[in-house]
Structure formats: structure tokens, C-alpha cells
């Protein structure tokens, strides 16, 4: 169970590093336009680029936090810190699903929820 929990939490972290890459370094691409459901013209605006870069940075922080909690934090505190960061992801997914797109709940929230449950049970 602990191995499955670690793998799932790592997958959530990797997903957030992918989002970081997409938002910070590839935000005006066709992939980003499709993923976010907006036009490439909108994504090319400097103001939107700035907002996306900021969002991407926060997604990176979530990914780093999850990996930090798994591999750096002492074992006695690792579970609590991992649950803490996974809870952030779930809250962000709920907020994103209400304010931006319902699919965020499934794409980001569901993997985080599965990881949260596995970590808790491990």
C-alpha cells in the first residue's frame, strides 16, 4: 500500500510539473489553447502570459511540495505533510471547477483524492 501511495502522489506531482511547463513555457501553444479551452489569440496577450506564468509557478510549488514531503521530510512527519499538499491540490481543483472548468475536478482533483486516500491508508 505504501508503494502505491508514493507512486500516486508522485504522479500528482508530475502532473503539476507538466502544468508548470504548459503554463510557464508553452502557454501560447495549440496544446494550451485546447487544454484551457481558449483561443491562441487570447493566450498570446502579454497580460495573459503573465497570469499563466504565475499560475504555473504555483503549480510547480505544489509539485515540489509533494516530492519534498515524500523524500525529504522525516518519516514521522511525511504522511501529514503529504496529505497537506494533496489537500491543497484538491481545494484548488474544487475552486477551479467552480470558476473555470468542471473538468479540473476530474483531471486534477481525482488523482489527488486517490493519492490522498492511499497515503492516509498507508
Amino acid at each position: 500500500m505504501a508503494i502505491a501511495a508514493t507512486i500516486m502522489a508522485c504522479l500528482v506531482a508530475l502532473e503539476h510539473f507538466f502544468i508548470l511547463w504548459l503554463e510557464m513555457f508553452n502557454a501560447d501553444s495549440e496544446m494550451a489553447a485546447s487544454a484551457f479551452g481558449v483561443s491562441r489569440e487570447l493566450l498570446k496577450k502579454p497580460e495573459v502570459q503573465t497570469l499563466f506564468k504565475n499560475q504555473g509557478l504555483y503549480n510547480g510549488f505544489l509539485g515540489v511540495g509533494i516530492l519534498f514531503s515524500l523524500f525529504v521530510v522525516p518519516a514521522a512527519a511525511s504522511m501529514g505533510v503529504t496529505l497537506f499538499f494533496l489537500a491543497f491540490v484538491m481545494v484548488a481543483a474544487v475552486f477551479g471547477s467552480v470558476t473555470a472548468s468542471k473538468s479540473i475536478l476530474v483531471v486534477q482533483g481525482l488523482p489527488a483524492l486517490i493519492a490522498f486516500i492511499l497515503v492516509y491508508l498507508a
Side-chain angles (χ1 to χ4, degrees), residues 42-115:
L42 177 65
L43 293 176
K44 290 179 188 253
K45 291 185 177 185
E47 301 87 4
V48 174
Q49 288 285 311
T50 300
L51 293 171
F52 267 70
K53 287 178 185 353
N54 191 41
Q55 275 184 205
L57 186 63
Y58 283 103
N59 276 291
F61 288 153
L62 289 171
V64 168
I66 291 168
L67 293 181
F68 180 81
S69 71
L70 292 170
F71 301 111
V72 178
V73 171
S78 179
M79 182 180 95
V81 177
T82 303
L83 293 175
F84 179 75
F85 279 101
L86 290 170
F88 280 160
V89 173
M90 291 186 295
V91 169
V94 169
F95 184 78
S97 74
V98 170
T99 60
S101 171
K102 301 272 185 253
S103 67
I104 293 172
L105 198 56
V106 174
V107 173
Q108 291 181 356
L110 185 58
L113 177 62
I114 293 168

Side-chain angles (χ1 to χ4, degrees), residues 6-7 9 18 35 37 39 41 44 67 69 72 79 106 117-118:
T6 300
I7 290 170
F18 173 75
S39 69
E41 291 74 33
K44 290 179 188 253
L67 293 181
S69 71
V72 178
M79 182 180 95
V106 174
I117 291 168
L118 289 173

